[in-house]
Amino acid sequence: MMTKVKVQPLLVNYKTLEEFKRFKEYGHQELAMFEDLQSNIVENDSESPFFGIYFGNALVARMSLYRVSKKYDHYFQPPQDYLELWKLEVLPDYQGQGFGKALVDFAKSFQLPIKTNPRVKSHNFWEKMGFQKAMYDVERDLGENPLIWLPSGVEEREV
Amino acid sequence: MMTKVKVQPLLVNYKTLEEFKRFKEYGHQELAMFEDLQSNIVENDSESPFFGIYFGNALVARMSLYRVSKKYDHYFQPPQDYLELWKLEVLPDYQGQGFGKALVDFAKSFQLPIKTNPRVKSHNFWEKMGFQKAMYDVERDLGENPLIWLPSGVEEREV
């Protein structure tokens, strides 16, 4: 039996930030959100770049998604707005149930090209999701391992 | 007794690329260098952005270092050329002997600001090296955890 999976935007509040601590890729971004909330720089329940999947009351999968403006696009042809996807992560007890795919499908539903910079070990997953290795260019990519997804009508830019 | 440590530029050749396979952070960059060498896009023994430390004949530590032009500087005040440092890694059997510090000291010797995006778990090391957390800005930093080092006379840019 398939569980019905709902991807939803995550709001900045103490409950969400507490749940983020269970994910491995907890870094400056989460700390900055916490500090902004504490010092009232952002309001409680303001928008975040995160989307997630709840199982009951618990956040079990998440990703960050940011729309990069066309003027900063160095990857696609024709140049256009694209989505940068990062921190895609499913908690260990919930892996293998399609939650990762549900998040990626959600990102694809915007019909914009997507770029991500995953750990090298996760390449099998990304290949199954239809992502391909971008040509590597040191000046542009530095320490990244860029993978891209192209909706129809979009090509990779030559570097 | 202190071993005398020499940091040297690494040239693109099959021997170096074979040694790179022993490092955990092996990714698109190394594969691209290999392909470029195979297809004669780059010459044997051409320059790479890598620097390393040999112990006898074996490469035991390395980092990548790239000079980013002032016009792309979004981190420092006044805006200036800076170094992006990535893939700093010491092979497990050679850790705790100052090889990591020797690489960082080499990077600092250019007297340019340095930016790096390390794994969260390595923050103790970077703090000891005098690096500090950059203010996090989602639009600029996306999935990064930027750390910076400021030579005298340079400040962090407000975001």
Side-chain angles (χ1 to χ4, degrees):
Chain A
M1 195 179 72
M2 272 297 281
T3 316
K4 206 175 158 197
V5 172
K6 192 184 154 211
V7 175
Q8 54 190 258
L10 301 181
L11 302 179
V12 182
N13 56 47
Y14 288 109
K15 181 177 180 298
T16 304
L17 290 171
E18 192 57 37
E19 296 200 281
F20 280 176
K21 291 185 185 162
R22 300 166 68 195
F23 291 81
K24 266 190 295 188
E25 289 200 59
Y26 185 94
H28 290 187
Q29 185 182 11
E30 289 82 354
L31 290 169
M33 285 164 71
F34 187 77
E35 285 163 14
D36 288 351
L37 192 58
Q38 274 197 314
S39 55
N40 296 313
I41 290 175
V42 300
E43 271 179 71
N44 197 43
D45 288 336
S46 56
E47 273 184 47
S48 85
F50 284 94
F51 295 85
I53 296 171
Y54 283 90
F55 192 85
N57 276 322
L59 182 69
V60 299
R62 69 163 195 179
M63 70 174 165
S64 217
L65 210 55
Y66 191 83
R67 187 172 177 140
V68 177
S69 158
K70 176 181 177 175
K71 71 173 167 175
Y72 299 114
D73 173 13
H74 303 296
Y75 288 91
F76 304 103
Q77 190 60 42
Q80 58 201 281
D81 287 9
Y82 70 90
L83 296 176
E84 175 95 24
L85 188 165
W86 70 97
K87 293 189 183 172
L88 178 78
E89 188 176 340
V90 180
L91 292 183
D93 291 350
Y94 298 88
Q95 290 174 7
Q97 297 172 52
F99 294 134
K101 182 176 186 304
L103 287 170
V104 175
D105 285 343
F106 178 83
K108 287 177 177 173
S109 70
F110 293 92
Q111 283 299 306
L112 291 171
I114 305 172
K115 188 208 139 206
T116 190
N117 173 38
R119 300 290 159 88
V120 175
K121 285 179 191 165
S122 63
H123 272 207
N124 279 348
F125 169 79
W126 290 103
E127 217 171 274
K128 261 186 264 171
M129 296 299 112
F131 281 64
Q132 62 186 64
K133 246 171 50 172
M135 285 171 267
Y136 178 80
D137 175 41
V138 65
E139 185 163 5
R140 181 189 65 183
D141 300 319
L142 303 169
E144 293 204 352
N145 296 299
L147 292 181
I148 53 176
W149 177 77
L150 305 168
S152 79
V154 181
E155 288 179 12
E156 182 178 5
R157 179 112 40 111
E158 293 282 336
V159 290
Chain B
M1 195 178 74
M2 271 298 281
T3 317
K4 207 174 156 197
V5 172
K6 193 182 153 210
V7 175
Q8 52 190 258
L10 301 181
L11 301 179
V12 182
N13 57 48
Y14 289 110
K15 181 177 180 297
T16 304
L17 291 172
E18 192 57 38
E19 297 199 280
F20 279 177
K21 291 184 185 163
R22 302 165 68 195
F23 291 81
K24 265 189 298 187
E25 290 200 60
Y26 185 93
H28 290 186
Q29 184 181 11
E30 290 82 353
L31 290 168
M33 285 163 72
F34 187 77
E35 284 162 15
D36 288 351
L37 191 60
Q38 276 197 314
S39 57
N40 295 313
I41 291 175
V42 299
E43 273 179 68
N44 197 44
D45 288 337
S46 57
E47 274 184 45
S48 84
F50 282 95
F51 295 85
I53 296 171
Y54 284 91
F55 194 85
N57 277 321
L59 183 68
V60 299
R62 68 164 194 177
M63 68 173 168
S64 217
L65 209 55
Y66 191 84
R67 186 170 176 142
V68 177
S69 158
K70 176 181 175 174
K71 70 174 165 175
Y72 299 115
D73 172 14
H74 302 296
Y75 288 91
F76 304 104
Q77 190 60 40
Q80 58 201 283
D81 287 11
Y82 69 91
L83 296 176
E84 177 95 23
L85 188 166
W86 71 97
K87 293 189 184 172
L88 177 78
E89 189 174 341
V90 181
L91 293 181
D93 290 350
Y94 298 88
Q95 290 174 7
Q97 297 172 51
F99 294 134
K101 182 176 186 303
L103 288 169
V104 175
D105 285 343
F106 178 84
K108 287 178 179 174
S109 70
F110 293 93
Q111 283 299 307
L112 292 170
I114 305 171
K115 187 208 138 205
T116 190
N117 174 38
R119 303 290 160 85
V120 175
K121 281 179 193 165
S122 63
H123 271 207
N124 279 349
F125 169 79
W126 290 104
E127 215 171 276
K128 264 188 262 170
M129 296 298 113
F131 282 64
Q132 63 187 63
K133 246 172 49 175
M135 284 171 267
Y136 179 81
D137 176 42
V138 66
E139 185 163 3
R140 179 188 68 181
D141 301 318
L142 302 169
E144 294 205 351
N145 295 299
L147 291 182
I148 55 175
W149 177 77
L150 304 169
S152 77
V154 180
E155 287 179 14
E156 182 177 6
R157 179 111 40 113
E158 293 283 336
V159 289

